[in-house]
Amino acid sequence: MAKEKQTTSAQGKSLDAIKAELVRSLKGADVTDYLYSYSEEEAQTTSALTNKAVKDVVSLDKGASAVVLRYTRIEDKKSNTSKGYKSEIIKEGETLALVITDLNTDKVIQKKSFPTAGPACQPAGQFDSVNACIDEFNRSCTLRCPLQTEANRTCENQFAALTCCLNDGSIISVHLIIPPDNWRCRLRDVVPDVEVVVSPG
């Protein structure tokens, strides 16, 4: 028997109403092309609007200064209170940083800079595409696995900087966010797993 699609929360709110609450809390932010998700656990519910660009490789063009990854609203069932968060990538000069802002107070609660990509091809070799280069990194237990383990141990996002050398002779800088996927980590739903390509120059 097919599982019936969830349309209401345990408190009886419709998922459309929960989404509308999240959108209203963003005070006019354009989330037209964002993907909505909802999850419920014993202690909390989480609703999120995720930039659909993160489903693929996000391109941060030369003139761009920021890209929003996800808006998240976490509701504590016991206290009946909620908190909102925005996660985004900020470009300051040649530096990229992941910034998480508490939307209730408009204060930055976490800001972490990405490492700088090195001059040598990393992962080693030449690839047909940026996606093939990223896939090679993700498949390697000596490259991604230690970062995922550290993310789960510390409950903090880990970062990787790749220098992807392509068969057409181009060299592309790629930055990855590797969030914790352990249930113990409080902010695990705030930042999606994402790859970012930075345009040269």
Side-chain angles (χ1 to χ4, degrees), residues 13-32:
K13 288 184 183 178
S14 75
L15 298 191
D16 286 340
I18 295 170
K19 179 181 178 181
E21 286 178 3
L22 172 58
V23 172
R24 279 196 302 273
S25 73
L26 302 181
K27 302 173 183 176
D30 184 6
V31 291
T32 306

mmCIF file of all heavy atoms in Angstrom, residues 13-32:
data_model
loop_
_atom_site.group_PDB
_atom_site.id
_atom_site.type_symbol
_atom_site.label_atom_id
_atom_site.label_comp_id
_atom_site.label_asym_id
_atom_site.label_seq_id
_atom_site.Cartn_x
_atom_site.Cartn_y
_atom_site.Cartn_z
ATOM 1 N N LYS A 13 -1.728 21.687 11.930
ATOM 2 C CA LYS A 13 -1.564 22.759 10.950
ATOM 3 C C LYS A 13 -1.345 22.143 9.573
ATOM 4 O O LYS A 13 -0.659 21.136 9.438
ATOM 5 C CB LYS A 13 -0.350 23.623 11.282
ATOM 6 C CG LYS A 13 -0.497 24.530 12.483
ATOM 7 C CD LYS A 13 0.773 25.374 12.601
ATOM 8 C CE LYS A 13 0.720 26.264 13.828
ATOM 9 N NZ LYS A 13 1.993 27.052 13.967
ATOM 10 N N SER A 14 -1.917 22.782 8.561
ATOM 11 C CA SER A 14 -1.645 22.310 7.210
ATOM 12 C C SER A 14 -0.233 22.722 6.815
ATOM 13 O O SER A 14 0.297 23.738 7.295
ATOM 14 C CB SER A 14 -2.654 22.898 6.223
ATOM 15 O OG SER A 14 -2.351 24.260 5.959
ATOM 16 N N LEU A 15 0.385 21.930 5.965
ATOM 17 C CA LEU A 15 1.740 22.258 5.526
ATOM 18 C C LEU A 15 1.760 23.539 4.707
ATOM 19 O O LEU A 15 2.745 24.272 4.720
ATOM 20 C CB LEU A 15 2.332 21.093 4.730
ATOM 21 C CG LEU A 15 2.485 19.778 5.501
ATOM 22 C CD1 LEU A 15 3.320 18.789 4.705
ATOM 23 C CD2 LEU A 15 3.099 19.997 6.880
ATOM 24 N N ASP A 16 0.657 23.832 4.014
ATOM 25 C CA ASP A 16 0.569 25.105 3.287
ATOM 26 C C ASP A 16 0.587 26.283 4.260
ATOM 27 O O ASP A 16 1.209 27.310 3.996
ATOM 28 C CB ASP A 16 -0.711 25.157 2.445
ATOM 29 C CG ASP A 16 -0.619 24.265 1.205
ATOM 30 O OD1 ASP A 16 0.514 23.930 0.801
ATOM 31 O OD2 ASP A 16 -1.674 23.925 0.652
ATOM 32 N N ALA A 17 -0.089 26.133 5.394
ATOM 33 C CA ALA A 17 -0.109 27.204 6.402
ATOM 34 C C ALA A 17 1.273 27.386 7.021
ATOM 35 O O ALA A 17 1.715 28.506 7.284
ATOM 36 C CB ALA A 17 -1.143 26.900 7.483
ATOM 37 N N ILE A 18 1.970 26.280 7.258
ATOM 38 C CA ILE A 18 3.317 26.352 7.826
ATOM 39 C C ILE A 18 4.258 27.031 6.843
ATOM 40 O O ILE A 18 5.080 27.874 7.223
ATOM 41 C CB ILE A 18 3.821 24.948 8.191
ATOM 42 C CG1 ILE A 18 2.967 24.366 9.318
ATOM 43 C CG2 ILE A 18 5.285 24.980 8.611
ATOM 44 C CD1 ILE A 18 3.223 22.906 9.596
ATOM 45 N N LYS A 19 4.130 26.700 5.561
ATOM 46 C CA LYS A 19 4.951 27.353 4.538
ATOM 47 C C LYS A 19 4.651 28.846 4.491
ATOM 48 O O LYS A 19 5.573 29.673 4.397
ATOM 49 C CB LYS A 19 4.687 26.717 3.173
ATOM 50 C CG LYS A 19 5.487 27.364 2.052
ATOM 51 C CD LYS A 19 5.176 26.720 0.713
ATOM 52 C CE LYS A 19 5.949 27.400 -0.416
ATOM 53 N NZ LYS A 19 5.639 26.793 -1.740
ATOM 54 N N ALA A 20 3.372 29.209 4.565
ATOM 55 C CA ALA A 20 2.987 30.623 4.532
ATOM 56 C C ALA A 20 3.580 31.380 5.715
ATOM 57 O O ALA A 20 4.017 32.537 5.572
ATOM 58 C CB ALA A 20 1.469 30.753 4.513
ATOM 59 N N GLU A 21 3.614 30.751 6.895
ATOM 60 C CA GLU A 21 4.228 31.381 8.072
ATOM 61 C C GLU A 21 5.709 31.646 7.831
ATOM 62 O O GLU A 21 6.238 32.713 8.180
ATOM 63 C CB GLU A 21 4.062 30.486 9.304
ATOM 64 C CG GLU A 21 2.672 30.452 9.874
ATOM 65 C CD GLU A 21 2.561 29.500 11.065
ATOM 66 O OE1 GLU A 21 3.606 28.919 11.464
ATOM 67 O OE2 GLU A 21 1.459 29.331 11.594
ATOM 68 N N LEU A 22 6.389 30.672 7.233
ATOM 69 C CA LEU A 22 7.811 30.827 6.933
ATOM 70 C C LEU A 22 8.025 31.974 5.954
ATOM 71 O O LEU A 22 8.884 32.837 6.173
ATOM 72 C CB LEU A 22 8.376 29.524 6.366
ATOM 73 C CG LEU A 22 9.814 29.558 5.829
ATOM 74 C CD1 LEU A 22 10.794 29.998 6.902
ATOM 75 C CD2 LEU A 22 10.202 28.199 5.277
ATOM 76 N N VAL A 23 7.241 32.014 4.885
ATOM 77 C CA VAL A 23 7.383 33.071 3.873
ATOM 78 C C VAL A 23 7.133 34.438 4.495
ATOM 79 O O VAL A 23 7.876 35.398 4.246
ATOM 80 C CB VAL A 23 6.439 32.823 2.679
ATOM 81 C CG1 VAL A 23 6.438 34.015 1.732
ATOM 82 C CG2 VAL A 23 6.844 31.550 1.938
ATOM 83 N N ARG A 24 6.093 34.563 5.341
ATOM 84 C CA ARG A 24 5.796 35.851 5.994
ATOM 85 C C ARG A 24 6.948 36.302 6.881
ATOM 86 O O ARG A 24 7.258 37.486 6.966
ATOM 87 C CB ARG A 24 4.513 35.743 6.825
ATOM 88 C CG ARG A 24 3.240 35.881 6.019
ATOM 89 C CD ARG A 24 2.040 36.145 6.921
ATOM 90 N NE ARG A 24 1.847 35.099 7.909
ATOM 91 C CZ ARG A 24 1.138 33.991 7.700
ATOM 92 N NH1 ARG A 24 0.566 33.783 6.524
ATOM 93 N NH2 ARG A 24 0.996 33.090 8.652
ATOM 94 N N SER A 25 7.606 35.353 7.543
ATOM 95 C CA SER A 25 8.689 35.713 8.454
ATOM 96 C C SER A 25 9.918 36.244 7.725
ATOM 97 O O SER A 25 10.796 36.843 8.342
ATOM 98 C CB SER A 25 9.090 34.495 9.308
ATOM 99 O OG SER A 25 9.795 33.536 8.542
ATOM 100 N N LEU A 26 9.983 36.053 6.404
ATOM 101 C CA LEU A 26 11.154 36.481 5.630
ATOM 102 C C LEU A 26 11.051 37.929 5.162
ATOM 103 O O LEU A 26 11.957 38.442 4.505
ATOM 104 C CB LEU A 26 11.345 35.557 4.427
ATOM 105 C CG LEU A 26 11.512 34.069 4.761
ATOM 106 C CD1 LEU A 26 11.719 33.257 3.504
ATOM 107 C CD2 LEU A 26 12.666 33.864 5.733
ATOM 108 N N LYS A 27 9.937 38.578 5.467
ATOM 109 C CA LYS A 27 9.769 40.022 5.240
ATOM 110 C C LYS A 27 10.067 40.441 3.805
ATOM 111 O O LYS A 27 10.856 41.345 3.552
ATOM 112 C CB LYS A 27 10.645 40.815 6.214
ATOM 113 C CG LYS A 27 10.337 40.515 7.679
ATOM 114 C CD LYS A 27 11.324 41.166 8.608
ATOM 115 C CE LYS A 27 11.041 40.779 10.056
ATOM 116 N NZ LYS A 27 12.035 41.304 11.003
ATOM 117 N N GLY A 28 9.431 39.740 2.881
ATOM 118 C CA GLY A 28 9.512 40.163 1.485
ATOM 119 C C GLY A 28 10.630 39.560 0.663
ATOM 120 O O GLY A 28 10.792 39.921 -0.508
ATOM 121 N N ALA A 29 11.414 38.656 1.221
ATOM 122 C CA ALA A 29 12.484 38.013 0.439
ATOM 123 C C ALA A 29 11.862 37.236 -0.726
ATOM 124 O O ALA A 29 10.827 36.593 -0.570
ATOM 125 C CB ALA A 29 13.298 37.078 1.324
ATOM 126 N N ASP A 30 12.474 37.330 -1.889
ATOM 127 C CA ASP A 30 11.961 36.643 -3.076
ATOM 128 C C ASP A 30 12.357 35.166 -3.024
ATOM 129 O O ASP A 30 13.521 34.817 -3.200
ATOM 130 C CB ASP A 30 12.523 37.295 -4.340
ATOM 131 C CG ASP A 30 11.943 36.677 -5.611
ATOM 132 O OD1 ASP A 30 11.026 35.834 -5.502
ATOM 133 O OD2 ASP A 30 12.407 37.042 -6.708
ATOM 134 N N VAL A 31 11.374 34.318 -2.775
ATOM 135 C CA VAL A 31 11.638 32.875 -2.690
ATOM 136 C C VAL A 31 10.806 32.115 -3.733
ATOM 137 O O VAL A 31 10.486 30.948 -3.552
ATOM 138 C CB VAL A 31 11.339 32.336 -1.266
ATOM 139 C CG1 VAL A 31 12.358 32.875 -0.272
ATOM 140 C CG2 VAL A 31 9.916 32.704 -0.817
ATOM 141 N N THR A 32 10.525 32.784 -4.841
ATOM 142 C CA THR A 32 9.679 32.202 -5.886
ATOM 143 C C THR A 32 10.216 30.865 -6.382
ATOM 144 O O THR A 32 9.467 29.906 -6.572
ATOM 145 C CB THR A 32 9.565 33.179 -7.079
ATOM 146 O OG1 THR A 32 9.114 34.444 -6.596
ATOM 147 C CG2 THR A 32 8.599 32.650 -8.124
#
